[in-house]
Amino acid sequence: MGQGGERIAEWVAAAVLAAAAYLVLLPWDLRGTPLDPGTDQATAELAVGRVVALAAILVVLAGYLGWREQPLWASAAFVGAPPAALMLASFATHHAAMWPLTWLTFTLVLGLDAVIVALVVRNARNVLDRLRGQA
C-alpha cells in the first residue's frame, strides 16, 4: 500500500476506534435520569471513569496521528469529529435541554484537544529524532 493508502487507512482506523470508544463508554441518551420520582430535575448518567477512559483513548489516537506526522486537521477530523457526530445524534434524538450549546462546547474541546495532542507528540518526535541524530 502506498503512502497515501496508509494515511487513509490510519484515518479510517482512528475514526472507527474513536466512534467505537464513544459508543461503548457513554450512554446513548445523555439526558440523564430523574433525581426523584415525579421531578423534572435530571442528572447526567456519565460515570467519571468512563469519561476519563474515553479521553485517554482519544488522546492515544490523536497522539498516534501526531507521531505518524499526519496533518493536524486529521486529528480533529478523525479523532474529535466521530464522537462529536455521535453526541449530536444523541442530543438530537433525545431532545436534551441546552444541547446546542453543550454540543458546540464539547465539539470545540474534542477538536482542539486532538490538534494540541497531535502537535505536542509531533514536536516530541522531532526532538527525539534530532537527539538521535546527534548521538
Side-chain angles (χ1 to χ4, degrees), residues 17 19 42 44 68 76 90:
L17 290 171
R68 299 283 294 158
S90 175

Side-chain angles (χ1 to χ4, degrees), residues 11 14-16 18 65 71-85 110-112 114-115:
W11 293 346
V16 167
L65 293 180
L72 293 177
W73 62 264
S75 294
F78 298 107
V79 175
L110 288 167
L112 288 174
V115 168

Side-chain angles (χ1 to χ4, degrees), residues 22 28 83-95 99 103:
Y22 180 90
W28 181 247
L86 290 169
M87 186 184 301
L88 176 62
S90 175
F91 285 157
T93 302
H94 297 98
H95 308 292
W99 73 262
W103 177 78

Side-chain angles (χ1 to χ4, degrees), residues 9-36:
E10 289 173 348
W11 293 346
V12 170
V16 167
L17 290 171
Y22 180 90
L23 288 172
V24 168
L25 293 169
L26 297 186
W28 181 247
D29 186 354
L30 293 173
R31 288 179 301 178
T33 56
L35 291 173
D36 296 314

